[in-house]
């Protein structure tokens, strides 16, 4: 029992090292793809140093896997290459990512490291290492929360840059300087979006629960596009516009950005509450308008019936026939309206749908 806790910490440290290696692989792969084949000698030397450092980390991690995964794991296995979906904002030029980059099959950034999520649940059970699955799932949740939190921060920074620098720039020099800052922020957005996509993909290999599936949804490219709702929630023309799903995910907002995030969520919570109250008001008005419409048709039918009686008393048979026809038309309109509104008025709206 005394050795259980240190062993658990050792395994957690090993898995955390693997998650850090995957993040470094993603960052290096994005940098290599963004650079393409038209690179300078300095850039190639920097990439080579990063690859040497990353390869050393991968070698050490693979050797440690023999200890944690047991004798059923073979370090000489040849897993599939790393597949990565790079998510980027629609504002970026797709030509930024070169179709041909200086990578090869055994590049460190394409090497799949022996984490339980890469091996699969069945293989972990054969290796008697199924106790690593919930541990990696817990660490993956923390990694996904960190990625989403950083994504929120950088998207907000990008919105602020557009509002305070890009739109306020009056000269070409100021615009160039502003766009260079936007590009740096966008690179960080792409990195954390790709990390989250990779993390969620690995979580799916660990047989997550229903709560985890509902919380960690797929991240779409169009959700990374900055909207006015982020930078200026009071702007015109966005009455029904809402934020993407990851803005409402409950993550730890501690740290230096806590107060800034708290103010951001307070503003958008008040905006969402105002929108919800407005639609509740609209629902009451629409229900009243349904009743008013039916009452109008019934009132007009009653008026024409009275006129028909007056015309019959005065022996104006043509007028009486016309009045009877008009009253019949309004009665049919009232019946049709009541039938159409009856189903709509009995629809129950859940609080989660408001």
């Amino acid at each position: 029992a005394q050795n259980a806790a240190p062993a658990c910490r050792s395994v957690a440290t090993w898995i955390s090292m693997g998650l850090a290696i995957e993040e470094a692989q993603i960052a290096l792969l994005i940098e290599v793809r963004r650079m393409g084949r038209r690179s300078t000698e300095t850039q190639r030397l920097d990439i080579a140093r990063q690859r040497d450092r990353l390869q050393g980390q991968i070698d050490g991690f693979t050797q440690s896997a023999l200890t944690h995964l047991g004798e059923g794991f073979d370090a000489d296995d040849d897993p599939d290459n790393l597949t990565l979906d790079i998510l980027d904002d629609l504002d970026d030029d797709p030509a930024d990512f070169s179709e041909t980059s200086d990578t090869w099959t055994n590049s460190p950034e394409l090497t799949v490291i022996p984490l339980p999520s890469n091996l699969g649940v069945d293989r972990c059970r054969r290796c008697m290492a199924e106790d690593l699955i919930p541990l990696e799932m817990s660490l993956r949740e923390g990694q996904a929360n960190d990625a989403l939190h950083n994504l929120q921060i950088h998207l907000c920074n990008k919105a602020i840059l557009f509002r305070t620098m890009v739109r306020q720039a009056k000269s070409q020099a100021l615009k160039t300087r502003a766009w260079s800052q936007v590009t740096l922020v966008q690179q960080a957005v792409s990195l954390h979006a790709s990390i989250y996509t990779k993390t969620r993909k690995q979580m799916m290999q660990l047989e997550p629960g229903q709560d985890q599936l509902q919380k960690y949804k797929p991240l779409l490219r169009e959700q990374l596009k900055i909207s006015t709702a982020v930078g200026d929630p009071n702007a015109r023309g966005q009455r029904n516009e809402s934020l993407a799903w990851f803005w409402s995910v409950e993550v730890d907002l501690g740290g230096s950005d806590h107060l800034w995030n708290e103010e951001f969520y307070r503003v958008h919570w008040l905006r969402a509450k105002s929108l919800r109250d407005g639609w509740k008001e609209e629902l009451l008005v629409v229900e009243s308008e349904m009743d008013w419409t039916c009452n109008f048709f019934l009132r007009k039918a009653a008026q024409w019936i009275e006129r028909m009686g007056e015309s019959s008393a005065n022996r104006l048979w043509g007028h009486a026939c016309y009045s009877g026809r008009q009253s019949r038309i309004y009665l049919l309109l009232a019946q049709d309206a009541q039938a159409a509104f009856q189903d709509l008025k009995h629809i129950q709206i859940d609080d989660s749908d408001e």
Side-chain angles (χ1 to χ4, degrees):
Q2 295 179 354
N3 297 329
C8 183
R9 287 196 297 268
S10 176
V11 174
T13 303
W14 175 71
I15 295 178
S16 300
M17 186 186 305
L19 302 188
I21 290 175
E22 282 190 348
E23 292 184 4
Q25 286 179 312
I26 294 173
L28 181 57
L29 183 59
I30 291 178
E31 184 175 353
V32 171
R33 289 188 179 182
R34 201 180 286 273
M35 184 175 59
R37 292 188 180 274
R38 298 180 180 178
S39 57
T40 63
E41 184 176 355
T42 303
Q43 290 175 328
R44 290 194 295 270
L45 287 174
D46 181 58
I47 293 297
R49 293 191 190 98
Q50 293 186 48
R51 282 174 170 165
D52 290 340
R53 190 183 312 114
L54 183 58
Q55 186 62 54
Q57 296 175 357
I58 293 175
D59 293 341
F61 182 84
T62 305
Q63 293 299 323
S64 301
L66 298 174
T67 304
H68 300 290
L69 296 176
E71 298 178 355
F73 170 72
D74 185 3
D76 296 330
D77 286 349
D78 187 17
D80 295 334
N81 290 335
L82 175 67
T83 57
L84 174 64
D85 295 329
I86 295 180
L87 294 180
D88 213 340
D89 196 342
L90 295 177
D91 294 335
D92 281 357
D93 187 0
D96 289 343
F97 294 96
S98 176
E99 295 181 358
T100 58
S101 56
D102 189 13
T103 58
W104 58 89
T105 304
N106 296 324
S107 297
E109 63 268 23
L110 297 179
T111 303
V112 179
I113 58 178
L115 282 168
S117 57
N118 290 325
L119 299 178
V121 176
D122 295 336
R123 188 173 178 185
C124 288
R125 290 170 180 168
R126 290 197 301 268
C127 295
M128 304 298 291
E130 56 184 343
D131 55 331
L132 302 182
I133 296 175
L135 185 57
E136 183 183 353
M137 177 63 75
S138 177
L139 293 174
R140 288 288 183 184
E141 289 186 27
Q143 187 183 32
N145 290 338
D146 290 341
L148 291 177
H149 178 59
N150 292 326
L151 194 60
Q152 294 170 0
I153 294 298
H154 290 296
L155 285 176
C156 290
N157 288 339
K158 185 177 180 181
I160 292 174
L161 286 175
F162 271 107
R163 186 178 179 186
T164 59
M165 296 190 65
V166 175
R167 296 176 183 174
Q168 301 297 328
K170 302 300 181 182
S171 64
Q172 186 64 34
L174 293 177
K175 288 183 179 180
T176 303
R177 190 178 307 164
W179 276 107
S180 64
Q181 295 186 21
V182 171
T183 302
L184 292 176
V185 174
Q186 179 54 38
Q187 291 177 0
V189 170
S190 302
L191 173 62
H192 294 295
S194 301
I195 290 175
Y196 172 80
T197 302
K198 174 63 177 176
T199 301
R200 185 182 182 277
K201 181 180 179 181
Q202 297 302 107
M203 292 174 65
M204 295 302 104
Q205 303 296 327
L206 299 174
E207 299 180 355
Q210 190 64 29
D211 294 339
Q212 294 164 328
L213 291 175
Q214 293 179 356
K215 181 177 181 180
Y216 300 105
K217 302 177 183 179
L219 192 62
L220 304 179
R221 188 182 300 268
E222 55 266 20
Q223 293 172 341
L224 302 180
K225 188 174 182 180
I226 284 298
S227 64
T228 313
V230 177
D232 186 7
N234 296 321
R236 298 176 61 182
Q238 54 171 358
R239 176 183 177 186
N240 298 326
E241 187 174 353
S242 59
L243 298 176
W245 63 267
F246 56 83
W247 292 101
S248 59
V249 174
E250 296 181 3
V251 297
D252 184 13
L253 299 179
S256 58
D257 299 318
H258 173 70
L259 295 178
W260 187 87
N261 279 296
E262 192 175 83
E263 181 179 357
F264 174 81
Y265 280 109
R266 186 186 302 115
V267 170
H268 282 278
W269 182 88
L270 291 173
R271 179 176 175 272
K273 183 178 183 299
S274 175
L275 182 62
R276 173 180 176 272
D277 294 342
W279 278 111
K280 290 182 69 175
E281 250 179 58
E282 191 72 20
L283 180 61
L284 294 176
V285 172
V286 169
E287 290 179 349
S288 299
E289 288 177 347
M290 292 178 184
D291 295 334
W292 297 339
T293 302
C294 296
N295 293 336
F296 170 78
F297 290 145
L298 293 175
R299 175 60 181 166
K300 296 296 290 185
Q303 288 179 350
W304 282 107
I305 289 176
E306 292 178 0
R307 293 171 183 173
M308 183 179 65
E310 294 175 359
S311 299
S312 299
N314 295 328
R315 297 182 179 274
L316 299 174
W317 308 118
H319 292 182
C321 291
Y322 179 79
S323 300
R325 181 175 178 272
Q326 291 297 107
S327 65
R328 180 60 179 173
I329 290 175
Y330 279 107
L331 283 175
L332 292 176
L333 288 174
Q335 292 175 2
D336 292 341
Q338 290 173 350
F341 297 154
Q342 184 175 6
D343 296 335
L344 296 176
K345 294 178 67 174
H346 289 84
I347 294 177
Q348 298 294 330
I349 301 177
D350 297 334
D351 293 338
S352 58
D353 296 334
E354 292 182 351

